[in-house]
Amino acid sequence: LVLTGKSYKFNRIRLIWLLQQQSLLQKSIWSLHVHDWTETKKFLPELNNEDFDAFVTEYSNNPDNINIMGQMGSYPGNYDVSLFDNVLFRLISETTFKSVCETPYLTEKTYLTMFNKLPFIIAGDVGSCRWLKRNGYKTYEEYFPVANYDNIVNPHERLQAVIFNSKYWLESMQNKQHIKQDVEHNFQQAIRQGKTNCDKIKHTLAQYDSDATVQDCLINPDWPGKNF
């Protein structure tokens, strides 16, 4: 499962192109939305304009029916749960793909993967797996041929390692029982973290004597507090 969102990022359009180059798209459920041609094309300098147009025309895909020009993101109620059924793993193209960062930027893309009980490979900031491990999650690197992929600073090399590991899992995933146990561990850990975060929000609301609910803070677009 490879849901990429907005395409004009190195780890989105280039990820799809590399998967296609390795004949892996035919084994995938993927999304590709190209609305900003210039910003997206710059990440595929190997292709001339004609070849880029042909690639986009052939491989554009929207399996989750996202309105790319409207609200983005896979928030509760805004994604197709069935996409997570009967797939081996998710290749997560996170929001950023930084080579140097103090704290990796991990979004709903990673956490919804855990809530839907899938193992994952992250095409995200350097140290994303390291940060998740520090916070009690399993990150599967012991099951990959390129175990240190998350720590590779060069973005081209990191993305190539992501592709290599993805190809390995698609063609010959091993240790499936251990991976299944790690998936269940991550689900339970995400539930625990979610409950802890909700408790913190409730405590903050009580401090300010607010009658708002946790749902207002997180998912109610009409709640006035969203503006602050």
Side-chain angles (χ1 to χ4, degrees), residues 76-212:
N78 191 33
Y79 73 100
D80 185 352
V81 177
S82 67
L83 290 174
F84 291 80
D85 296 336
N86 302 314
V87 294
L88 194 59
F89 65 96
R90 183 176 182 182
L91 174 48
I92 303 171
S93 58
E94 261 297 357
T95 299
T96 56
F97 198 68
K98 299 175 185 174
S99 294
V100 178
C101 59
E102 185 173 341
T103 302
Y105 187 37
L106 296 165
T107 68
E108 85 288 342
K109 302 169 188 65
T110 294
Y111 290 99
L112 282 179
T113 303
M114 293 190 280
F115 281 127
N116 283 279
K117 294 190 174 184
L118 279 182
F120 54 79
I121 299 172
I122 297 182
D125 296 336
V126 164
S128 294
C129 290
R130 185 168 62 248
W131 189 93
L132 286 168
K133 286 177 68 176
R134 287 203 303 265
N135 285 274
Y137 293 100
K138 304 290 186 178
T139 52
Y140 312 103
E141 61 263 42
E142 65 266 38
Y143 309 120
F144 297 134
V146 186
N148 71 330
Y149 81 96
D150 180 58
N151 297 317
I152 298 173
V153 173
N154 182 287
H156 288 275
E157 293 177 5
R158 186 158 80 259
L159 202 59
Q160 287 287 357
V162 165
I163 296 296
F164 193 87
N165 286 339
S166 298
K167 183 178 177 67
Y168 173 77
W169 257 11
L170 277 171
E171 296 179 349
S172 56
M173 178 186 276
Q174 306 294 317
N175 306 109
K176 290 186 178 180
Q177 188 57 40
H178 289 155
I179 291 172
K180 184 177 180 180
Q181 292 170 0
D182 288 351
V183 167
E184 181 61 28
H185 169 89
N186 282 347
F187 175 77
Q188 297 298 335
Q189 178 64 10
I191 292 291
R192 285 191 292 270
Q193 183 178 351
K195 289 180 177 178
T196 298
N197 291 343
C198 285
D199 289 342
K200 290 179 179 178
I201 294 172
K202 289 177 182 178
H203 178 72
T204 300
L205 292 172
Q207 281 185 311
Y208 289 93
D209 197 26
S210 172
D211 60 358

Side-chain angles (χ1 to χ4, degrees), residues 21-33:
Q21 292 290 295
Q22 291 293 319
S23 301
L24 299 178
L25 272 190
Q26 63 191 21
K27 302 178 181 179
S28 306
I29 299 171
W30 79 92
S31 63
L32 177 62
H33 319 268

